[in-house]
Coordinates of all heavy atoms in Angstrom, one line a residue:
M1 N 16.3 21.6 2.2 CA 15.3 20.7 2.8 C 15.9 20.1 4.0 O 17.0 19.7 4.0 CB 14.9 19.6 1.7 CG 14.0 18.7 2.2 SD 13.6 17.2 1.0 CE 13.1 18.1 -0.4
Q2 N 15.0 19.9 5.0 CA 15.4 19.3 6.2 C 15.7 18.0 6.1 O 15.0 17.2 5.3 CB 14.4 19.6 7.4 CG 14.3 20.9 7.7 CD 13.2 21.3 8.8 OE1 12.4 20.4 9.0 NE2 13.3 22.2 9.5
R3 N 16.7 17.3 6.7 CA 17.1 15.9 6.5 C 16.0 15.0 7.0 O 15.7 14.0 6.4 CB 18.4 15.5 7.3 CG 18.9 14.2 6.9 CD 20.3 14.1 7.5 NE 20.1 13.7 9.0 CZ 21.2 13.8 9.7 NH1 22.3 14.1 9.3 NH2 20.9 13.5 11.0
E4 N 15.3 15.4 8.1 CA 14.2 14.4 8.7 C 13.0 14.4 7.6 O 12.4 13.4 7.5 CB 13.8 15.1 10.1 CG 14.8 14.9 11.2 CD 15.7 16.0 11.1 OE1 15.5 17.1 10.5 OE2 16.8 16.0 11.8
T5 N 12.8 15.5 7.1 CA 11.5 15.6 6.2 C 11.8 14.8 5.0 O 10.9 14.0 4.5 CB 11.2 17.0 5.8 OG1 11.1 17.8 6.9 CG2 10.0 17.1 4.9
K6 N 13.0 14.9 4.5 CA 13.5 14.2 3.2 C 13.5 12.6 3.6 O 13.1 11.7 2.8 CB 14.7 14.5 2.9 CG 15.2 14.0 1.5 CD 16.6 14.7 1.0 CE 16.9 14.1 -0.4 NZ 18.2 14.6 -0.9
L7 N 13.9 12.2 4.8 CA 14.0 10.8 5.3 C 12.5 10.3 5.4 O 12.2 9.1 4.9 CB 14.6 10.6 6.6 CG 14.8 9.1 7.0 CD1 15.7 8.4 6.1 CD2 15.4 9.3 8.5
F8 N 11.6 11.1 5.9 CA 10.2 10.7 6.0 C 9.6 10.4 4.7 O 8.8 9.5 4.5 CB 9.5 11.7 6.8 CG 8.0 11.3 7.1 CD1 7.5 10.3 7.8 CD2 7.1 12.0 6.2 CE1 6.2 9.9 7.9 CE2 5.6 11.7 6.4 CZ 5.2 10.6 7.3
A9 N 9.9 11.4 3.8 CA 9.3 11.4 2.3 C 9.8 10.0 1.7 O 8.9 9.3 1.1 CB 9.6 12.5 1.5
W10 N 11.0 9.6 1.8 CA 11.5 8.4 1.2 C 10.9 7.2 1.9 O 10.8 6.2 1.2 CB 13.1 8.4 1.2 CG 13.5 9.2 0.1 CD1 14.2 10.4 0.1 CD2 13.4 9.0 -1.4 NE1 14.5 11.0 -1.2 CE2 14.0 10.0 -2.0 CE3 12.9 7.9 -2.0 CZ2 14.1 10.0 -3.4 CZ3 12.9 7.9 -3.4 CH2 13.6 9.0 -4.1
F11 N 10.8 7.3 3.3 CA 10.2 6.1 3.9 C 8.7 6.0 3.4 O 8.3 4.9 3.1 CB 10.1 6.4 5.3 CG 9.5 5.4 6.2 CD1 10.0 4.2 6.4 CD2 8.2 5.6 6.8 CE1 9.3 3.2 7.1 CE2 7.4 4.7 7.5 CZ 8.1 3.4 7.6
A12 N 8.0 7.0 3.3 CA 6.6 6.8 2.7 C 6.6 6.4 1.3 O 5.7 5.5 0.9 CB 5.9 8.3 2.8
I13 N 7.6 6.7 0.6 CA 7.6 6.2 -0.9 C 8.0 4.7 -0.8 O 7.4 3.9 -1.6 CB 8.7 7.0 -1.8 CG1 8.1 8.4 -2.0 CG2 9.0 6.2 -3.1 CD1 9.1 9.3 -2.6
T14 N 8.9 4.4 -0.1 CA 9.2 2.9 0.0 C 7.9 2.1 0.6 O 7.7 1.0 0.1 CB 10.4 2.8 1.0 OG1 11.6 3.5 0.6 CG2 10.9 1.3 1.2
L15 N 7.5 2.6 1.7 CA 6.2 2.0 2.2 C 5.1 1.8 1.1 O 4.5 0.7 0.9 CB 5.7 2.6 3.3 CG 4.5 2.1 4.2 CD1 5.0 0.8 4.8 CD2 4.0 3.1 5.2
G16 N 4.9 2.9 0.3 CA 3.9 2.8 -0.8 C 4.4 1.8 -1.9 O 3.5 1.1 -2.4
A17 N 5.7 1.7 -2.1 CA 6.2 0.7 -3.1 C 5.8 -0.7 -2.5 O 5.4 -1.7 -3.4 CB 7.6 0.8 -3.5
A18 N 6.0 -0.9 -1.2 CA 5.7 -2.2 -0.7 C 4.2 -2.6 -0.9 O 3.9 -3.7 -1.2 CB 6.2 -2.3 0.8
G19 N 3.4 -1.6 -0.7 CA 1.9 -1.8 -0.8 C 1.5 -2.1 -2.2 O 0.7 -2.9 -2.4
I20 N 2.2 -1.4 -3.2 CA 1.8 -1.7 -4.5 C 2.3 -3.1 -4.9 O 1.6 -3.8 -5.6 CB 2.6 -0.6 -5.4 CG1 2.0 0.8 -5.2 CG2 2.6 -1.0 -6.9 CD1 2.8 1.9 -5.8
L21 N 3.4 -3.6 -4.3 CA 3.9 -4.9 -4.8 C 3.1 -5.9 -4.0 O 2.7 -6.9 -4.7 CB 5.3 -5.1 -4.3 CG 6.4 -4.4 -5.1 CD1 7.8 -4.5 -4.4 CD2 6.4 -4.9 -6.4
M22 N 2.5 -5.6 -2.9 CA 1.6 -6.6 -2.2 C 0.3 -6.6 -2.9 O -0.3 -7.7 -3.1 CB 1.3 -6.1 -0.7 CG 2.6 -6.4 0.1 SD 2.4 -5.9 1.8 CE 1.2 -7.2 2.4
G23 N -0.2 -5.5 -3.6 CA -1.5 -5.4 -4.3 C -1.4 -6.3 -5.6 O -2.2 -7.0 -5.8
L24 N -0.3 -6.0 -6.1 CA -0.1 -6.7 -7.4 C 0.1 -8.3 -7.2 O -0.4 -9.2 -7.9 CB 1.2 -6.4 -8.1 CG 1.2 -5.0 -8.8 CD1 2.5 -4.4 -9.4 CD2 0.2 -4.9 -9.9
A25 N 0.8 -8.7 -6.1 CA 0.9 -10.1 -5.7 C -0.5 -10.6 -5.4 O -0.8 -11.8 -5.9 CB 1.8 -10.3 -4.6
S26 N -1.3 -9.9 -4.7 CA -2.7 -10.4 -4.4 C -3.4 -10.6 -5.7 O -4.2 -11.5 -5.8 CB -3.3 -9.5 -3.4 OG -4.6 -9.9 -3.2
L27 N -3.4 -9.5 -6.6 CA -4.1 -9.6 -7.9 C -3.7 -10.8 -8.7 O -4.4 -11.4 -9.5 CB -4.1 -8.4 -8.6 CG -4.8 -7.1 -8.0 CD1 -4.6 -5.9 -8.8 CD2 -6.2 -7.5 -8.0
L28 N -2.4 -11.2 -8.7 CA -1.9 -12.3 -9.3 C -2.2 -13.7 -8.7 O -1.8 -14.7 -9.2 CB -0.3 -12.1 -9.6 CG 0.1 -11.0 -10.5 CD1 1.4 -10.8 -10.5 CD2 -0.6 -11.2 -11.9
G29 N -2.8 -13.6 -7.6 CA -3.1 -14.9 -6.9 C -2.1 -15.5 -5.9 O -2.3 -16.6 -5.4
R30 N -1.2 -14.7 -5.6 CA -0.2 -15.2 -4.5 C -0.7 -14.7 -3.1 O -1.2 -13.7 -3.0 CB 1.1 -14.6 -4.8 CG 1.6 -14.8 -6.2 CD 3.0 -15.3 -6.4 NE 3.3 -15.8 -7.7 CZ 4.4 -15.8 -8.2 NH1 5.4 -15.7 -7.4 NH2 4.6 -16.3 -9.4
P31 N -0.3 -15.7 -2.2 CA -0.8 -15.2 -0.8 C 0.0 -14.0 -0.3 O 1.4 -14.1 -0.4 CB -0.5 -16.5 0.0 CG 0.4 -17.3 -0.8 CD 0.3 -16.9 -2.3
V32 N -0.7 -13.0 0.2 CA 0.1 -11.8 0.8 C 0.7 -12.0 2.1 O 1.8 -11.7 2.4 CB -0.9 -10.7 0.6 CG1 -0.3 -9.4 1.1 CG2 -1.4 -10.4 -0.8
Q33 N -0.1 -12.6 3.1 CA 0.3 -12.8 4.4 C 0.4 -14.3 4.7 O -0.2 -14.9 5.5 CB -0.9 -12.3 5.2 CG -1.2 -10.8 5.1 CD -0.3 -9.9 5.8 OE1 0.4 -10.3 6.9 NE2 0.1 -8.8 5.3
A34 N 1.5 -14.9 3.9 CA 1.7 -16.2 4.1 C 2.3 -16.7 5.3 O 2.2 -17.8 5.8 CB 2.7 -16.8 2.8
S35 N 2.9 -15.8 6.1 CA 3.6 -16.2 7.3 C 2.7 -16.2 8.5 O 3.1 -16.5 9.6 CB 4.8 -15.1 7.5 OG 4.2 -13.8 7.8
G36 N 1.4 -15.8 8.3 CA 0.5 -16.0 9.3 C 0.3 -14.7 10.1 O -0.3 -14.6 11.2
T37 N 1.1 -13.6 9.7 CA 1.0 -12.3 10.4 C -0.5 -11.8 10.2 O -1.2 -12.2 9.4 CB 2.0 -11.4 10.0 OG1 1.8 -11.2 8.6 CG2 3.3 -11.8 10.3
S38 N -0.8 -10.8 11.1 CA -2.1 -10.3 11.0 C -2.2 -8.8 10.4 O -1.4 -8.1 10.8 CB -2.7 -10.4 12.5 OG -4.0 -9.8 12.4
C39 N -3.1 -8.6 9.7 CA -3.6 -7.3 9.2 C -5.1 -7.2 9.5 O -5.7 -8.1 9.1 CB -3.0 -6.9 7.9 SG -3.9 -7.7 6.6
K40 N -5.4 -6.1 9.9 CA -6.8 -6.0 10.3 C -7.7 -5.4 9.3 O -8.7 -6.0 8.9 CB -7.0 -5.2 11.7 CG -6.1 -5.6 12.8 CD -6.9 -6.5 13.6 CE -6.1 -6.8 14.8 NZ -6.0 -8.1 15.2
A41 N -7.4 -4.3 8.7 CA -8.5 -3.5 7.8 C -8.5 -4.3 6.6 O -9.5 -4.6 6.1 CB -8.0 -2.1 7.7
I42 N -7.4 -4.3 5.8 CA -7.4 -4.7 4.4 C -7.7 -6.2 4.4 O -8.7 -6.6 3.6 CB -6.1 -4.4 3.7 CG1 -6.0 -2.8 3.5 CG2 -6.1 -5.0 2.3 CD1 -4.7 -2.4 2.9
C43 N -7.1 -7.1 5.2 CA -7.4 -8.5 5.2 C -8.9 -8.7 5.6 O -9.5 -9.6 5.1 CB -6.3 -9.2 6.1 SG -4.7 -9.0 5.5
G44 N -9.3 -7.9 6.7 CA -10.7 -8.2 7.0 C -11.7 -7.8 6.0 O -12.6 -8.5 5.8
L45 N -11.5 -6.7 5.2 CA -12.4 -6.5 4.1 C -12.4 -7.4 3.1 O -13.4 -7.9 2.5 CB -12.1 -5.0 3.5 CG -12.5 -3.8 4.4 CD1 -11.9 -2.6 3.9 CD2 -14.0 -4.0 4.5
S46 N -11.2 -7.9 2.7 CA -11.1 -8.9 1.6 C -11.7 -10.2 2.1 O -12.3 -10.9 1.3 CB -9.6 -9.3 1.2 OG -8.8 -9.7 2.2
L47 N -11.6 -10.5 3.4 CA -12.2 -11.8 3.9 C -13.8 -11.6 3.8 O -14.5 -12.6 3.6 CB -11.8 -12.0 5.3 CG -12.4 -13.2 6.0 CD1 -12.0 -14.6 5.3 CD2 -12.0 -13.3 7.5
L48 N -14.3 -10.4 4.2 CA -15.7 -10.1 4.1 C -16.2 -10.3 2.7 O -17.2 -11.1 2.5 CB -16.0 -8.9 4.6 CG -17.4 -8.4 4.5 CD1 -18.2 -9.2 5.6 CD2 -17.5 -7.0 4.8
F49 N -15.5 -9.9 1.6 CA -15.9 -10.0 0.4 C -15.9 -11.5 -0.1 O -16.5 -11.9 -0.9 CB -15.2 -9.1 -0.6 CG -15.7 -7.6 -0.6 CD1 -15.4 -6.6 0.3 CD2 -16.6 -7.4 -1.7 CE1 -15.9 -5.4 0.2 CE2 -17.3 -6.1 -1.5 CZ -17.0 -5.2 -0.6
T50 N -14.7 -12.1 0.4 CA -14.6 -13.5 0.1 C -15.7 -14.4 0.6 O -16.4 -15.3 -0.1 CB -13.2 -14.1 0.7 OG1 -12.1 -13.4 0.1 CG2 -13.1 -15.6 0.4
E51 N -16.2 -14.1 1.8 CA -17.4 -14.7 2.3 C -18.7 -14.5 1.7 O -19.5 -15.3 1.5 CB -17.5 -14.5 3.9 CG -16.4 -15.0 4.7 CD -16.3 -16.6 4.8 OE1 -17.4 -17.2 4.8 OE2 -15.2 -17.1 4.7
L52 N -18.8 -13.2 1.3 CA -20.1 -12.8 0.6 C -20.1 -13.1 -1.0 O -21.2 -13.5 -1.4 CB -20.3 -11.3 0.7 CG -20.6 -10.8 2.2 CD1 -20.6 -9.3 2.2 CD2 -21.8 -11.4 2.7
L53 N -19.0 -12.9 -1.6 CA -19.1 -13.0 -3.1 C -18.2 -14.0 -3.6 O -18.2 -14.3 -4.9 CB -18.7 -11.7 -3.6 CG -19.7 -10.5 -3.3 CD1 -19.1 -9.2 -3.9 CD2 -21.1 -10.8 -3.9
G54 N -17.3 -14.6 -2.9 CA -16.5 -15.7 -3.4 C -15.0 -15.4 -3.3 O -14.6 -14.1 -3.1
D55 N -14.1 -16.3 -3.7 CA -12.7 -16.1 -3.6 C -12.2 -15.1 -4.5 O -11.3 -14.3 -4.2 CB -12.0 -17.5 -3.8 CG -12.1 -18.3 -2.7 OD1 -12.4 -18.0 -1.6 OD2 -12.0 -19.7 -2.9
R56 N -12.6 -15.2 -5.7 CA -12.2 -14.2 -6.7 C -12.6 -12.8 -6.4 O -11.5 -11.9 -6.5 CB -12.9 -14.5 -8.1 CG -12.2 -13.9 -9.3 CD -11.0 -14.8 -9.7 NE -10.6 -14.3 -10.9 CZ -9.4 -14.3 -11.2 NH1 -8.5 -15.0 -10.4 NH2 -8.9 -13.9 -12.4
A57 N -13.7 -12.5 -5.9 CA -14.0 -11.0 -5.3 C -13.1 -10.6 -4.1 O -12.6 -9.6 -4.2 CB -15.5 -11.1 -5.0
G58 N -12.9 -11.4 -3.3 CA -12.0 -11.2 -2.2 C -10.5 -10.9 -2.7 O -10.0 -10.1 -2.2
M59 N -10.2 -11.7 -3.6 CA -8.8 -11.4 -4.0 C -8.8 -10.0 -4.8 O -7.7 -9.4 -4.6 CB -8.4 -12.6 -5.2 CG -6.9 -12.4 -5.7 SD -6.7 -13.7 -7.0 CE -7.7 -13.0 -8.3
W60 N -9.8 -9.8 -5.6 CA -9.7 -8.4 -6.2 C -9.8 -7.3 -5.4 O -9.1 -6.3 -5.4 CB -10.8 -8.4 -7.3 CG -10.5 -9.0 -8.6 CD1 -10.8 -10.3 -8.9 CD2 -9.7 -8.4 -9.7 NE1 -10.2 -10.5 -10.2 CE2 -9.5 -9.4 -10.6 CE3 -9.2 -7.2 -9.9 CZ2 -8.8 -9.1 -11.8 CZ3 -8.4 -6.9 -11.0 CH2 -8.3 -7.9 -12.0
V61 N -10.7 -7.4 -4.3 CA -10.8 -6.3 -3.4 C -9.6 -6.2 -2.6 O -9.1 -5.0 -2.4 CB -12.1 -6.6 -2.4 CG1 -12.1 -5.7 -1.2 CG2 -13.4 -6.4 -3.1
G62 N -9.0 -7.2 -2.0 CA -7.7 -7.1 -1.4 C -6.5 -6.5 -2.2 O -5.9 -5.5 -1.7
G63 N -6.4 -6.9 -3.4 CA -5.4 -6.4 -4.3 C -5.6 -4.9 -4.6 O -4.7 -4.2 -4.5
L64 N -6.8 -4.7 -4.8 CA -7.1 -3.1 -5.1 C -6.9 -2.3 -4.0 O -6.4 -1.1 -4.1 CB -8.5 -3.0 -5.7 CG -8.8 -3.6 -7.1 CD1 -10.2 -3.5 -7.6 CD2 -7.8 -3.0 -8.2
L65 N -7.3 -2.8 -2.8 CA -7.1 -2.0 -1.6 C -5.6 -1.7 -1.4 O -5.1 -0.7 -0.8 CB -7.8 -2.6 -0.4 CG -9.3 -2.4 -0.3 CD1 -9.9 -3.2 0.8 CD2 -9.7 -0.9 -0.3
W66 N -4.8 -2.8 -1.4 CA -3.3 -2.7 -1.3 C -2.8 -1.8 -2.3 O -1.9 -0.9 -2.0 CB -2.7 -4.0 -1.3 CG -2.7 -4.8 -0.1 CD1 -3.3 -6.1 0.0 CD2 -2.1 -4.6 1.0 NE1 -3.2 -6.5 1.4 CE2 -2.3 -5.6 2.1 CE3 -1.3 -3.5 1.5 CZ2 -1.9 -5.6 3.3 CZ3 -0.8 -3.6 2.9 CH2 -1.1 -4.6 3.7
L67 N -3.3 -1.9 -3.5 CA -2.6 -1.0 -4.5 C -3.1 0.5 -4.1 O -2.2 1.5 -4.3 CB -3.3 -1.3 -5.9 CG -2.5 -2.4 -6.6 CD1 -3.4 -2.6 -7.9 CD2 -1.2 -2.0 -7.1
A68 N -4.3 0.8 -3.8 CA -4.7 2.1 -3.3 C -3.9 2.7 -2.2 O -3.5 3.8 -2.3 CB -6.3 2.1 -3.0
A69 N -3.7 1.9 -1.2 CA -2.9 2.3 -0.1 C -1.4 2.6 -0.5 O -0.8 3.5 0.0 CB -2.9 1.2 1.1
G70 N -0.9 1.7 -1.4 CA 0.5 2.0 -1.8 C 0.6 3.2 -2.7 O 1.6 4.0 -2.5
L71 N -0.2 3.5 -3.6 CA -0.4 4.7 -4.3 C -0.5 5.9 -3.6 O 0.1 6.9 -3.7 CB -1.5 4.6 -5.5 CG -1.1 3.7 -6.6 CD1 -2.4 3.5 -7.4 CD2 0.1 4.1 -7.4
A72 N -1.3 5.8 -2.5 CA -1.4 6.9 -1.6 C -0.2 7.2 -0.8 O 0.1 8.4 -0.7 CB -2.7 6.6 -0.6
F73 N 0.4 6.3 -0.2 CA 1.6 6.6 0.4 C 2.7 7.1 -0.5 O 3.4 8.0 -0.1 CB 2.2 5.3 1.2 CG 1.5 5.1 2.5 CD1 0.6 3.9 2.7 CD2 1.8 5.9 3.5 CE1 0.0 3.8 4.0 CE2 1.3 5.7 4.8 CZ 0.2 4.7 5.0
S74 N 2.9 6.4 -1.7 CA 3.8 7.0 -2.6 C 3.6 8.4 -3.1 O 4.5 9.2 -3.1 CB 4.0 5.9 -3.8 OG 4.4 4.8 -3.5
G75 N 2.4 8.7 -3.3 CA 2.0 10.1 -3.7 C 2.2 11.0 -2.7 O 2.6 12.2 -3.0
F76 N 2.0 10.6 -1.3 CA 2.2 11.4 -0.3 C 3.8 11.8 -0.1 O 4.0 13.0 0.0 CB 1.7 10.9 1.1 CG 1.9 11.6 2.3 CD1 1.3 12.8 2.5 CD2 2.7 11.1 3.3 CE1 1.4 13.6 3.6 CE2 2.9 11.8 4.4 CZ 2.4 13.1 4.6
G77 N 4.6 10.7 -0.2 CA 6.0 11.1 -0.1 C 6.5 11.9 -1.3 O 7.3 12.8 -1.0
W78 N 6.0 11.6 -2.4 CA 6.4 12.3 -3.6 C 6.1 13.8 -3.5 O 6.8 14.7 -3.8 CB 5.8 11.6 -4.9 CG 6.4 12.2 -6.1 CD1 5.8 13.2 -6.9 CD2 7.7 12.0 -6.7 NE1 6.6 13.4 -8.0 CE2 7.8 12.7 -7.8 CE3 8.8 11.3 -6.3 CZ2 8.9 12.8 -8.6 CZ3 10.0 11.3 -7.1 CH2 10.1 12.0 -8.3
R79 N 4.9 13.9 -2.9 CA 4.3 15.4 -2.9 C 5.3 16.3 -1.7 O 5.5 17.3 -2.0 CB 2.8 15.4 -2.3 CG 2.3 16.6 -2.3 CD 0.9 16.6 -2.1 NE 0.2 18.0 -2.0 CZ -1.0 18.1 -1.8 NH1 -1.8 17.1 -1.6 NH2 -1.5 19.4 -1.7
I80 N 5.7 15.5 -0.7 CA 6.6 16.1 0.3 C 7.8 16.5 -0.4 O 8.2 17.6 -0.2 CB 6.7 15.2 1.4 CG1 5.4 15.1 2.3 CG2 7.9 15.7 2.4 CD1 5.6 14.1 3.4
L81 N 8.4 15.6 -1.1 CA 9.8 15.9 -1.9 C 9.6 17.1 -2.8 O 10.5 17.8 -2.8 CB 10.2 14.5 -2.5 CG 10.8 13.4 -1.6 CD1 11.1 12.4 -2.6 CD2 12.1 14.0 -1.0
K82 N 8.5 17.1 -3.5 CA 8.4 18.2 -4.5 C 8.1 19.5 -3.8 O 8.7 20.6 -4.2 CB 7.2 17.9 -5.5 CG 7.5 16.8 -6.5 CD 6.5 16.6 -7.4 CE 6.3 17.8 -8.4 NZ 5.6 17.6 -9.5
E83 N 7.3 19.5 -2.7 CA 7.0 20.8 -2.0 C 8.4 21.3 -1.4 O 8.6 22.5 -1.3 CB 6.1 20.5 -0.9 CG 4.6 20.5 -1.7 CD 3.4 20.3 -0.6 OE1 3.7 20.2 0.6 OE2 2.4 20.2 -0.9
R84 N 9.1 20.5 -0.8 CA 10.4 20.9 -0.1 C 11.5 21.3 -1.1 O 12.4 22.1 -0.7 CB 10.9 19.7 1.0 CG 9.9 19.4 1.9 CD 9.7 20.5 2.9 NE 8.8 20.2 3.9 CZ 8.4 21.1 4.9 NH1 8.8 22.3 4.8 NH2 7.5 20.7 5.7
A85 N 11.4 20.8 -2.3 CA 12.5 21.1 -3.2 C 12.2 22.5 -3.8 O 13.1 23.1 -4.3 CB 12.5 20.2 -4.4
A86 N 10.9 22.9 -3.8 CA 10.6 24.2 -4.5 C 10.8 25.4 -3.6 O 11.2 25.3 -2.4 CB 9.2 24.3 -4.8

């Protein structure tokens, strides 16, 4: 396996793990972006649902989107590792 491909796969898995942790934190009611940094897509969608359906709906949508993104990145990295190992 090429070293760059393996490094990219582990980076994707690590990025996915961070997304999963952010999703779990959001579902547990902790602020995900407490430092004031900006995220456009996920935070914008959760803000839209917060405005339309209330705080609880926004929290759930944001948490589930972060979980989905984290699982997608982790799955992508894991798939690269498995394909390159075979």
Side-chain angles (χ1 to χ4, degrees):
M1 180 183 302
Q2 293 177 342
R3 189 171 80 191
E4 294 85 11
T5 305
K6 190 174 182 180
L7 181 65
F8 177 74
W10 280 109
F11 176 74
I13 290 172
T14 305
L15 186 64
I20 291 169
L21 289 175
M22 289 178 73
L24 289 174
S26 178
L27 288 175
L28 293 175
R30 306 229 172 164
V32 177
Q33 298 282 332
S35 64
T37 57
S38 174
C39 69
K40 303 265 188 227
I42 294 177
C43 295
L45 285 172
S46 65
L47 180 63
L48 178 68
F49 276 89
T50 299
E51 292 294 322
L52 292 175
L53 302 172
D55 290 338
R56 195 84 172 146
M59 181 185 72
W60 277 96
V61 167
L64 292 175
L65 286 173
W66 278 114
L67 279 174
L71 288 172
F73 276 112
S74 292
F76 179 68
W78 187 255
R79 187 172 179 179
I80 290 174
L81 283 178
K82 286 184 78 171
E83 285 180 5
R84 296 293 177 188

